[in-house]
Amino acid sequence: MAEAAEEAGFSEDDFYCPVCQEVFKTPVRTAKCQHVFCRKCFLTAVRESGMHCPLCRGTVTKKERTYPKRALDVENSMKKASGGCRCCEKQVRFSRMRQHYKRCKKYQDEYGVSSVIPNLQISQDSTGNSRIVVIAGNGGMANNQILQGEASGHPTFKCPLCQEANFTRQRLLDHCNNRHLYELVPVICPICVSLPWADTNQVTRHLVSHLNLRHRFDYGEFV
């Protein structure tokens, strides 16, 4: 349970990074606005945004951009407090939640890599756009999508489930919630591959749950 966190002045949501939406990994805190992020998320975001906090655009010092201060109070509370897994509801200490998610089959099937990982092939179409073809375990094509983005810095996305294109992030969420709510097909998230820390090999089996968990905000709003 999360009683220990509440006693220390934290709620369960306080242990989740506002950038990656996952439990903190090496939490760091900004000096001026006191916002907490995973160290890697913070460094990646400020590398893109310059001297601003990724959450509120408060000032971040030059030293913080290289050596952010660790949020040791959050780290210590994570070692004491527990929360429920998003999928199997097992109570796990927050300091070990990421390790649990790597082993939890229900979590992997819903949000991460499918329990049966498809084969990936990368090619280019006639216009030079990268095309990722996902071959399902039975040899069938599970997904065929073109990674696309506008040079203006406001990317648009193609739905990997029906191939309808030119969605903004929010419109893609709305579209998938309305049209593909119960579809379980191994696909690559087009929003994930547009991010600075993109892993183009990351496959999710339940795209709608993944979108609602990971992409409720626009990364551009933070940078």
Side-chain angles (χ1 to χ4, degrees), residues 9-205:
F10 293 97
S11 69
E12 187 166 330
D13 290 341
D14 290 332
F15 296 121
Y16 285 84
C17 174
V19 173
C20 70
Q21 302 291 306
E22 290 286 359
V23 173
F24 288 124
K25 182 176 182 181
T26 314
V28 298
R29 178 181 283 115
T30 58
K32 183 175 181 179
C33 52
Q34 297 290 293
H35 289 133
V36 183
F37 308 89
C38 300
R39 184 177 186 276
K40 183 177 180 181
C41 292
F42 175 77
L43 292 175
T44 301
V46 295
R47 185 164 61 244
E48 298 290 328
S49 67
M51 300 177 62
H52 301 292
C53 167
L55 189 57
C56 70
R57 297 188 64 79
T59 302
V60 175
T61 67
K62 184 176 180 180
K63 181 178 180 180
E64 283 183 288
R65 281 179 276 159
T66 306
Y67 302 105
K69 187 175 181 180
R70 291 178 67 173
L72 295 177
D73 57 331
V74 177
E75 282 194 42
N76 291 332
S77 292
M78 289 175 67
K79 295 175 183 178
K80 300 174 183 177
S82 299
C85 169
R86 287 167 171 159
C87 296
C88 72
E89 299 183 358
K90 179 179 179 180
Q91 291 293 309
V92 182
R93 292 194 184 279
F94 286 106
S95 58
R96 300 193 61 80
M97 189 69 77
R98 280 179 177 256
Q99 291 91 326
H100 169 77
Y101 284 150
K102 290 179 181 179
R103 299 190 301 267
C104 178
K105 183 178 181 299
K106 290 184 178 180
Y107 181 88
Q108 290 295 315
D109 283 348
E110 186 160 350
Y111 296 121
V113 179
S114 172
S115 57
V116 178
I117 301 176
N119 297 318
L120 302 179
Q121 297 179 1
I122 301 177
S123 61
Q124 288 188 331
D125 63 11
S126 59
T127 63
N129 289 317
S130 296
R131 182 186 295 271
I132 296 179
V133 180
V134 181
I135 307 300
N138 59 6
M141 185 178 296
N143 176 37
N144 184 0
Q145 69 182 58
I146 297 175
L147 308 181
Q148 56 185 358
E150 298 175 355
S152 65
H154 300 286
T156 57
F157 308 101
K158 174 180 286 188
C159 174
L161 295 170
C162 68
Q163 304 306 306
E164 190 172 342
N166 296 321
F167 289 113
T168 63
R169 176 199 58 82
Q170 186 59 55
R171 286 186 59 218
L172 180 62
L173 264 69
D174 294 341
H175 165 81
C176 289
N177 277 303
N178 291 332
R179 297 274 300 275
H180 306 297
L181 186 60
Y182 300 109
E183 293 188 35
L184 298 177
V185 179
V187 295
I188 291 179
C189 172
I191 301 179
C192 281
V193 297
S194 73
L195 298 175
W197 50 82
D199 178 1
T200 57
N201 293 325
Q202 182 73 24
V203 178
T204 181
R205 197 175 75 170

